[in-house]
Structure formats: C-alpha cells, structure tokens
Amino acid sequence: MPLSEHEQRLLEQMERALYAEDPKFASALEGTGLRTYTRRRVYLAAAGFVAGVGLLMGGMVAQLIWVSVIGFLVMLGCAVLAVTGWRRGALGHGSGPKASPAPRRKANVMDRMEQRWQRRRDEHDGL
C-alpha cells in the first residue's frame, strides 16, 4: 500500500532529522537490509562452493578420499545455502502476486503502531 503525501513528507522529515542528528548511524543503516544480507550470503556460498571444488580435486590428485569427501560436503552445503538465499531474496523482493500471510493470534508491534497511527489520523481528520 503506497504512502499518502502527508506520510511521505513525515518520513522524509524523519530521515532528514536522523541524518542531521547522527549521520554516521544513518549511513550505516543505508546499506543494511534483507537484500544486502541475501546477496552477501549467496556470494559467500559461491566462494565456498569453489573452495569445495578445490578440495574435491585436491583430494583426487593426492589420492586422499577423505579430503575429497569433505570437499563434496562443503560443495553440497554451500549449494544449499546459495539456493535458499537466492529463493529467499527472490521471494522477498519479487513483483509477482504474494500469498496472504496466515492469520496471527496477537498483533505484533508494527500492527499496533499502525493502528494507533490510523486512530490519530482519523481523529485529526475528524476535527
């Protein structure tokens, strides 16, 4: 659901205030998020996969079966991490239709804050 013009202005004011108050903290928050975490996880898993291939090949050349088995397990584990990270990133940021979440018993903090905000806005509009 897109934000109204009033909400966008408030958000921009809060962002400017955060940058003015603590620019180091604000810039640290800029690069964080699920997408950055997922991308980093996939890259590390790919690097681990390549290391696993190296172990597998090194074990074959040195005729050490246990090194090859470890290399294969490293490859397998990294492949699973990469695929789950990739799916999580694709599902979290996709543009396709999303299934509705299961109903929750208790409202979480964000839901309660949103309800309070709506009440205040409705009271403000009613005046």
Side-chain angles (χ1 to χ4, degrees), residues 3-65:
L3 298 175
S4 69
E5 289 180 29
H6 177 69
E7 291 169 336
Q8 287 177 351
R9 276 185 268 136
L10 284 174
L11 183 61
E12 289 171 3
Q13 288 175 356
M14 291 187 321
E15 287 176 352
R16 282 192 298 262
L18 178 63
Y19 275 104
E21 185 177 315
D22 194 356
K24 187 176 179 181
F25 178 68
S27 64
L29 286 178
E30 239 175 35
T32 62
L34 182 63
R35 181 172 285 169
T36 304
Y37 170 75
T38 303
R39 187 177 301 137
R40 187 178 311 136
R41 182 178 171 181
V42 169
Y43 288 155
L44 288 174
F49 187 85
V50 170
V53 169
L55 282 172
L56 180 72
M57 293 301 197
M60 296 297 278
V61 168
Q63 295 182 353
L64 297 171
I65 301 296

